[in-house]
Amino acid sequence: MFDIGIFAPFGADHDRNIAYCRDAGASHIVLSTGNVSSDDAPAADALKTLADQYASAEVVLAGLTPPRLSLDACVDDASRTREVGYMRRLIENMGHAQIPFVHFYLSADAAPTDPDERQQHWQGLVGIFQELGQIGEGVGVRISTHTFHVPDRLIWNRETFSNLMAATDSPAHGLTFCQGKSQMAGDSLPEVIRHFGDKVFMVHVRDIATKAQGPTTPEIEQRLADLGYLEVPFGAGEVDMVGTIRALKEIDYKGQIYPEHFPSIAGDHAAGLAWTLGYIRALDQAVVV
């Protein structure tokens, strides 16, 4: 059976997060760094105290989500110094607190279309990853990077992420496998999992639909126009839920399954999360390899 993790449903209300984990059967949790410190990278002692608070309730503080890495950091020295400096302090402090994963997102902005500029950004990104990988290796923290899904980003599909991993070549770097992003990038979900193997550090499960199902509302039509997809209840959309779980079992995945995006129930986000946890647990039990 896979361990199930959640992204803190109640932010910095750690007592309520713990109660939710206990009631819903979640064994791991990921917090935003903003849930700990709004100014700089959270201090080592503060992270250790927080990790111990969760551990006392038998919940593992598995990761922290820092601010996104900007495109400017790839080519601008001042931006790189500021952002990599933040990440250096964060990773070192996480190592002290024995928090194993940085849940890392790159910029959501489009990369330059000019080939030379894009190559400069790529080289800068590789340099940053090489530096962060060395820091992570030194303190026992792994950096789990979430990809995007459209070609105007530097990292957006299996091929581009493979190129990044080959260029950085560090055991500290790996993939946050996101069903939705891989689906929209046009990749085969089981093949992505099998390709990266033990480089899959974290797994985000979600289901999406790129066409409206049944009667629509202006809000649904606007979301489809803006994003090109809808978040739908697990099992109701286009994502290969069964194939994903089967492939994870085939590679003997030892990490957690995290529901990422999902519909609320009667406007209640926590209720929607509880429903998805039940779905994941049932699917895990049903799929045998």
Side-chain angles (χ1 to χ4, degrees), residues 97-113:
Q98 296 184 312
I99 300 172
F101 290 108
V102 177
H103 178 237
F104 199 41
Y105 286 88
L106 305 181
S107 172
D109 296 329
T113 56

Side-chain angles (χ1 to χ4, degrees), residues 6-287:
I6 61 173
F7 299 103
F10 301 108
D13 188 341
H14 304 297
D15 289 335
R16 199 173 180 195
N17 288 334
I18 287 170
Y20 191 94
C21 288
R22 181 181 61 246
D23 293 344
S27 57
H28 293 66
I29 195 166
V30 172
L31 301 174
S32 166
T33 55
N35 297 147
V36 188
S37 171
S38 59
D39 298 324
D40 195 7
D45 289 346
L47 290 178
K48 182 67 167 61
T49 297
L50 194 56
D52 288 347
Q53 180 182 352
Y54 280 95
S56 67
E58 300 183 343
V59 178
V60 177
L61 178 50
L64 296 175
T65 306
R68 289 179 180 268
L69 181 75
S70 74
L71 278 177
D72 287 344
C74 298
V75 292
D76 177 73
D77 288 342
S79 297
R80 174 170 175 156
T81 297
R82 181 178 63 256
E83 295 183 36
V84 173
Y86 177 97
M87 289 298 300
R88 176 185 291 275
R89 294 188 296 277
L90 176 65
I91 293 169
E92 290 173 345
N93 293 346
M94 287 175 64
H96 171 81
Q98 296 184 312
I99 300 172
F101 290 108
V102 177
H103 178 237
F104 199 41
Y105 286 88
L106 305 181
S107 172
D109 296 329
T113 56
D114 178 80
D116 291 337
E117 288 185 48
R118 193 179 182 95
Q119 182 62 22
Q120 289 175 354
H121 279 75
W122 173 260
Q123 292 173 343
L125 180 67
V126 168
I128 290 171
F129 266 66
Q130 289 172 334
E131 183 173 350
L132 295 182
Q134 291 176 354
I135 300 165
E137 289 177 46
V139 298
V141 173
R142 292 188 287 176
I143 302 158
S144 190
T145 299
H146 195 295
T147 61
F148 212 71
H149 67 278
V150 290
D152 62 1
R153 271 55 170 187
L154 289 174
I155 304 297
W156 68 278
N157 64 356
R158 167 182 158 175
E159 180 182 2
T160 52
F161 192 77
S162 292
N163 292 341
L164 181 63
M165 291 296 96
T168 54
D169 190 28
S170 169
H173 282 301
L175 173 67
T176 297
F177 170 72
C178 173
Q179 286 180 303
K181 294 302 185 186
S182 289
Q183 176 81 18
M184 289 183 286
D187 290 330
S188 163
L189 275 59
E191 288 179 8
V192 170
I193 292 168
R194 296 185 188 109
H195 174 78
F196 288 109
D198 60 7
K199 279 287 189 181
V200 178
F201 287 173
M202 303 176 75
V203 172
H204 287 181
V205 290
R206 59 193 287 201
D207 206 349
I208 61 165
T210 55
K211 297 178 181 179
Q213 302 168 327
T216 64
T217 66
E219 291 77 15
I220 289 175
E221 292 174 357
Q222 188 61 53
R223 182 172 180 85
L224 279 171
D226 292 343
L227 298 178
Y229 65 90
L230 302 171
E231 306 289 353
V232 297
F234 288 14
E238 301 163 11
V239 168
D240 185 0
M241 307 297 285
V242 172
T244 294
I245 295 298
R246 180 175 290 117
L248 289 171
K249 292 187 176 185
E250 288 174 353
I251 68 166
D252 197 24
Y253 176 66
K254 298 298 186 184
Q256 302 85 50
I257 306 291
Y258 290 86
E260 187 185 17
H261 300 285
F262 44 85
S264 298
I265 293 178
D268 187 335
H269 181 80
L273 175 56
W275 188 94
T276 65
L277 295 180
Y279 179 94
I280 293 166
R281 183 62 72 211
L283 187 61
D284 186 7
Q285 291 176 337
V287 176

